[in-house]
Amino acid sequence: MEIVSTIAAARERRSADREAGRSVALVPTMGYLHEGHLSLVRRAREIGDSVWVSVFVNPAQFGPGEDLERYPRDLERDAALLEAEGVDVVFAPPAEDMYPRPSVVTIRFSGLEDRLCGATRPGHFSGVGLVVAKLFNIVDPAVAVFGQKDAQQALLIRRLAAELDFPVQIEVSPTVREADGLAMSSRNVYLSAAERQAAPVLHRALVAAHDAVAEGENDPLVVEGQMREMIEAEPLASLEYAVCVGLEDLERPSRIDRTVLLATAVRFGSTRLIDNLLVER
Ligand code: AMP
């Protein structure tokens, strides 16, 4: 496994893959890896000849007052985990290499970036779009693998790739959970013992709402109310949103007559957790 830490070195390594006729599968991450990330790596291993994982805590997607400085980092541990998965290349550039000066290019996702997580994280998805576009240009992957855990991000990346004609196939992999249902996240390490115990309420509320829809409930307001009620009953949880929306527009339909996304964001102290489930119709 090769660790490359500059854009120039990444391009050089990419040329070697190209000359050898190896297709590249890329897994973009912010590091501090867990089983969720590793499931994407395994998916990439199945698809690509050469598996690249980027490890970059992207300053552009953090707002003022968010957790950029305290975001957990451990490249040595990440590299050991990735080596054990048979990864070919880890691309871990410093922020100065990715952003040598303040960027004047902005990517906007009209009508989609202000919904769900975007409502409380203005500029977040612009930052995600910018870094992913840069990674696609640097690594030129045939396939890029993202997690369903970040459902809104996956949707926007699909649109980014399609509309800017990146020749990349976007793969979305299922959410990996702890035994009690909590979606794995690098941010789970912030939780106190009591918060960790309370955190599976996101998944429980989503499952209850999922079951209600699967059993025929077709009023999204009823479904949202049910999720809200369950989450608000947990004293340590502070609900940000709990929604039942369409997959493409992230808008609440007047009735549930097609596949919907149930999604929630909840704060436990200063830690913000998200989760979602699809209900197929
Ligand atoms: P992050 O390092 O949090 O930016 O995540 C990198 C990638 O891993 C994103 O595509 C996430 O959606 C995905 N991911 C994060 N947590 C999970 C999880 N629990 N299961 C599956 N994928 C995940």
Side-chain angles (χ1 to χ4, degrees):
M1 186 177 81
E2 190 176 340
I3 301 180
V4 296
S5 50
T6 64
I7 294 172
R11 287 198 193 282
E12 216 167 287
R13 170 62 209 230
R14 181 64 187 92
S15 299
D17 277 339
R18 195 173 291 112
E19 276 156 29
R22 289 190 289 260
S23 70
V24 168
L26 169 69
V27 181
T29 80
M30 297 205 299
Y32 213 70
L33 305 177
H34 50 67
E35 275 297 314
H37 297 114
L38 298 182
S39 73
L40 308 190
V41 170
R42 287 170 202 141
R43 182 78 192 111
R45 186 71 282 167
E46 285 170 4
I47 311 169
D49 302 324
S50 184
V51 175
W52 286 53
V53 176
S54 59
V55 175
F56 180 61
V57 182
N58 173 36
Q61 71 190 68
F62 287 78
E66 291 190 350
D67 56 346
L68 173 63
E69 276 79 33
R70 76 161 178 155
Y71 196 85
R73 294 161 169 91
D74 190 343
L75 185 58
E76 218 172 292
R77 177 176 159 277
D78 290 345
L81 290 169
L82 296 174
E83 177 126 53
E85 294 296 332
V87 165
D88 297 280
V89 183
V90 175
F91 176 45
E96 308 78 70
D97 201 38
M98 289 292 271
Y99 301 108
R101 53 185 179 172
S103 187
V104 294
V105 175
T106 305
I107 292 180
R108 304 290 305 264
F109 297 91
S110 306
L112 294 172
E113 65 182 16
D114 300 332
R115 300 184 188 281
L116 280 60
C117 292
T120 52
R121 303 191 71 188
H124 169 67
F125 289 112
S126 283
V128 170
L130 186 62
V131 80
V132 171
K134 288 168 73 73
L135 290 170
F136 285 175
N137 279 325
I138 295 162
V139 179
D140 185 24
V143 182
V145 188
F146 293 85
Q148 174 63 25
K149 155 94 186 329
D150 297 270
Q152 184 174 15
Q153 170 173 285
L155 166 69
L156 299 188
I157 299 302
R158 275 192 198 288
R159 295 292 294 264
L160 175 83
E163 293 185 19
L164 296 187
D165 302 295
F166 283 103
V168 60
Q169 175 194 330
I170 306 298
E171 274 278 315
V172 180
S173 241
T175 302
V176 177
R177 301 176 180 285
E178 303 285 357
D180 60 8
L182 176 64
M184 290 193 182
S185 164
S186 307
R187 289 188 167 101
N188 290 351
V189 296
Y190 298 154
L191 297 169
S192 70
E195 289 166 347
R196 172 63 190 82
Q197 214 173 0
V201 72
L202 280 82
H203 183 239
R204 276 204 310 280
L206 290 166
V207 169
H210 173 281
D211 291 351
V213 175
E215 282 159 23
E217 177 58 62
N218 59 26
D219 184 345
L221 288 171
V222 170
V223 174
E224 290 182 2
Q226 181 184 352
M227 287 192 283
R228 239 187 352 255
E229 204 173 300
M230 276 184 77
I231 293 166
E232 284 173 345
E234 169 48 61
L236 294 177
S238 166
L239 180 68
E240 194 176 287
Y241 67 76
V243 296
C244 172
V245 294
L247 289 188
E248 292 298 321
D249 58 4
L250 303 179
E251 298 235 38
R252 185 190 302 120
S254 50
R255 61 194 301 277
I256 303 171
D257 53 8
R258 72 203 69 171
T259 298
V260 284
L261 175 72
L262 307 173
T264 184
V266 177
R267 282 178 193 279
F268 291 86
S270 57
T271 307
R272 182 176 179 279
L273 302 182
I274 59 171
D275 200 353
N276 68 84
L277 282 181
L278 288 179
V279 198
E280 315 262 348
R281 267 281 163 89

